[in-house]
Amino acid sequence: MVSRRPTITSVPRSPLLLPSALLCLALAACSGGVHGTPGGAGVRDPYFPKAGNGGYDVGHYGLTLAYDPDGGRLTGTAVITARATQDLTAFDLDLKGLHVDTVTVEGRQARWNRAGQELTVRPHDDLKKGETFSTTVRYSGRPETLTDPDGSEEGWLRTADGALALGEPVGSMAWFPGNDHPSDKASYDITVTVPQGLQAVSNGELKSETTKNGRTTFAWHSPEPMASYVATVAVGHYTITRSTLSDGLPVYTAVDPTQVEASRTVLAKLPEIMEWESYNFGPYPFSSIGAIVDRPADSGYALETQTRPVFPGAPDTATLVHELAHQWYGDSVTPRTWRDMWLNEGFATYAEWLWAEDYGGRTAQQTFDRLYAGSGDSDLWAFPPAEPSSVAHISDRPVYDRGAMVLQKIRQKVGDDTFYDIIQGWAAAHRHGNADTAEFTAYVEKKAPGKDFATIWKDWLYGDGKPSRP
């Protein structure tokens, strides 16, 4: 660490210069020596107030990782390119566990300290608002598996033959330092070195694969903005399949050898599902697609990791439809806060309803009616989809099923032509961006100006309990 002191040409010999004033000068903490303020630790997310950080916006992450599955040790270098959104004397990065070796900002050693998940960085020189700067963090250790408030596991999950990194909602800070909140998206280059014979799979496109001295390095590039929670790394033995869709989109699937036969039929539907979703939701927003299928015991849930969703064992068709739909709703149009989770899960659940409707199953209305009429479904009405009752419930059933019911109510109100204009237009209007529930309701009202949505918003989106059905 490099201590930073102001240049002091003279110090008056005066009894008025008290020890506290001397300390202020030495630390450059007086207003005369510092022109900015520290960035905030957290972005005041209503459910994860410590997540993310204020004062800067990340444009790119360059992550260079090496992993040893036998010892469970990860060595990493993160080069984070960001733009200051205010004058900064210090800023925070989210990093849970792991040992920080060095931190530099713009090539100069920076002071830093740790407190919980906060890595506070004090650059050698203050950063001006609008300035683009590069921070390099070298770190190492055994990354942690984190337990969410709902009891599920995320972060760095050790598997039978490697590891799996899952980040929703705040697990990415277990394997790289960053601004771990969905409101700050960036492009990524993720390079992973593993023992020869293993694969390392990540988001985006594989740019190179090289082997030297018994180690293989995989370099992955994600050019489109990506939220930290949908970044992933999967290390292990995989059967790799490469292909292209009819429009030339590259497809890269990695399947654990124990899951190849069970996955074959459903993964063969990926091209058909992608064509159907592009027709219904608009142009696909990324430059590649695929899937990672690990063993069922490796994780307890599927996740919409960008361009390459992760599945715990062979998925069924509905789950594949769901996670691929997230590429539009969740990955490209990303929630501004975790309160807006229904904009991810309600849309992806509704995609399942639409697929069933088009492929010989129940209509979306029949699915809606069945849910509404269900007995013993008090969990469905436990809270409104736009206001989960606590951090432990942001992935509960009302967010998924009742969120989808809100979309069906909108479809009932406006008719199919306008409804598809709405869901396609919403994906296009916020492509590669962030949005919240208030923006969605305003968008719907703008697209259907002659309709009154007050009851839908009041009873179905924000209302407590089971709505009275008109």
Side-chain angles (χ1 to χ4, degrees):
M1 293 184 291
V2 178
S3 179
R4 192 165 166 268
R5 294 175 181 269
T7 300
I8 304 174
T9 55
S10 64
V11 178
R13 296 184 179 183
S14 166
L16 295 177
L17 190 60
L18 302 177
S20 61
L22 284 169
L23 179 63
C24 181
L25 286 169
L27 295 179
C30 291
S31 60
V34 177
H35 303 288
T37 57
V43 294
R44 299 183 181 179
D45 186 276
Y47 295 97
F48 294 91
K50 293 182 180 180
N53 303 285
Y56 64 93
D57 177 65
V58 179
H60 180 74
Y61 289 94
L63 306 179
T64 303
L65 310 174
Y67 185 62
D68 172 22
D70 289 339
R73 183 175 176 81
L74 179 72
T75 302
T77 299
V79 180
I80 304 161
T81 304
R83 180 181 57 85
T85 57
Q86 66 181 61
D87 291 344
L88 284 173
T89 59
F91 58 90
D92 281 26
L93 297 168
D94 298 306
L95 183 65
K96 186 80 167 77
L98 296 171
H99 174 74
V100 174
D101 300 311
T102 62
V103 181
T104 62
V105 178
E106 288 296 281
R108 305 191 71 173
Q109 290 288 331
R111 293 183 297 163
W112 53 269
N113 66 276
R114 305 287 298 275
Q117 71 184 53
E118 301 298 330
L119 168 61
T120 302
V121 179
R122 295 172 176 82
H124 185 278
D125 300 304
D126 294 349
L127 301 168
K128 296 183 180 298
K129 181 179 180 179
E131 179 180 352
T132 298
F133 63 97
S134 176
T135 303
T136 300
V137 181
R138 300 183 187 279
Y139 59 100
S140 57
R142 291 177 175 81
E144 298 180 14
T145 298
L146 310 179
T147 301
D148 291 336
D150 66 2
S152 60
E153 293 185 334
E154 58 167 332
W156 193 266
L157 284 63
R158 296 190 66 175
T159 63
D161 57 355
L164 178 62
L166 299 177
E168 188 180 58
V170 292
S172 294
M173 64 180 175
W175 59 283
F176 70 92
N179 201 16
D180 194 8
H181 190 266
S183 61
D184 192 2
K185 301 166 71 170
S187 59
Y188 282 71
D189 282 284
I190 301 177
T191 300
V192 189
T193 299
V194 295
Q196 185 176 354
L198 296 178
Q199 283 91 27
V201 185
S202 188
N203 313 87
E205 292 82 62
L206 181 63
K207 307 307 288 187
S208 66
E209 177 183 337
T210 57
T211 299
K212 183 179 180 181
N213 299 327
R215 308 276 289 176
T216 303
T217 299
F218 299 81
W220 293 87
H221 176 60
S222 295
E224 299 93 1
M226 179 165 68
S228 56
Y229 80 92
V230 286
T232 192
V233 167
V235 175
H237 295 285
Y238 294 103
T239 299
I240 305 297
T241 303
R242 303 178 195 231
S243 61
T244 57
L245 300 185
S246 59
D247 60 1
L249 187 74
V251 181
Y252 186 105
T253 60
V255 182
D256 186 282
T258 66
Q259 303 300 308
V260 169
E261 287 304 316
S263 300
R264 192 183 309 280
T265 299
V266 68
L267 290 182
K269 296 180 181 180
L270 188 147
E272 180 182 16
I273 295 170
M274 287 295 295
E275 182 178 1
W276 177 85
E277 292 193 343
S278 296
Y279 176 80
N280 284 283
F281 307 145
Y284 178 65
F286 302 114
S287 51
S288 66
I289 191 58
I292 299 169
V293 181
D294 252 312
R295 304 182 189 192
D298 290 343
S299 69
Y301 52 90
L303 186 63
E304 62 269 22
T305 42
Q306 190 159 302
T307 70
R308 200 146 291 113
V310 169
F311 300 95
D316 57 22
T317 301
T319 304
L320 185 58
V321 168
H322 183 109
E323 302 304 335
L324 292 178
H326 272 310
Q327 305 305 307
W328 283 263
Y329 308 108
D331 293 10
S332 178
V333 185
T334 303
R336 196 172 302 282
T337 76
W338 288 109
R339 176 178 286 154
D340 305 300
M341 184 79 154
W342 83 276
L343 290 172
N344 291 16
E345 301 302 347
F347 271 83
T349 301
Y350 196 72
E352 296 180 52
W353 296 12
L354 292 176
W355 175 270
E357 182 173 276
D358 286 353
Y359 285 84
R362 294 186 183 91
T363 66
Q365 186 60 50
Q366 287 171 334
T367 302
F368 178 101
D369 292 341
R370 193 164 180 258
L371 285 170
Y372 187 86
S375 59
D377 280 349
S378 59
D379 60 330
L380 178 60
W381 314 107
F383 56 82
E387 292 183 342
S389 55
S390 75
V391 65
H393 299 294
I394 62 170
S395 295
D396 280 8
R397 194 177 174 197
V399 173
Y400 288 68
D401 289 343
R402 192 168 165 186
M405 294 176 87
V406 170
L407 296 177
Q408 179 61 16
K409 293 298 291 185
I410 295 170
R411 184 181 177 189
Q412 287 177 329
K413 174 72 71 172
V414 302
D416 278 9
D417 288 347
T418 300
F419 177 75
Y420 282 98
D421 285 346
I422 287 171
I423 61 173
Q424 291 177 14
W426 175 250
H430 296 280
R431 184 181 176 97
H432 301 315
N434 294 88
D436 59 27
T437 301
E439 289 172 287
F440 176 72
T441 56
Y443 185 83
V444 171
E445 291 170 355
K446 180 180 178 181
K447 296 292 284 187
K451 302 294 184 180
D452 182 3
F453 295 94
T455 299
I456 296 176
W457 306 150
K458 182 175 78 71
D459 293 346
W460 292 90
L461 187 57
Y462 287 104
D464 290 321
K466 184 175 182 178
S468 299
R469 187 171 179 183

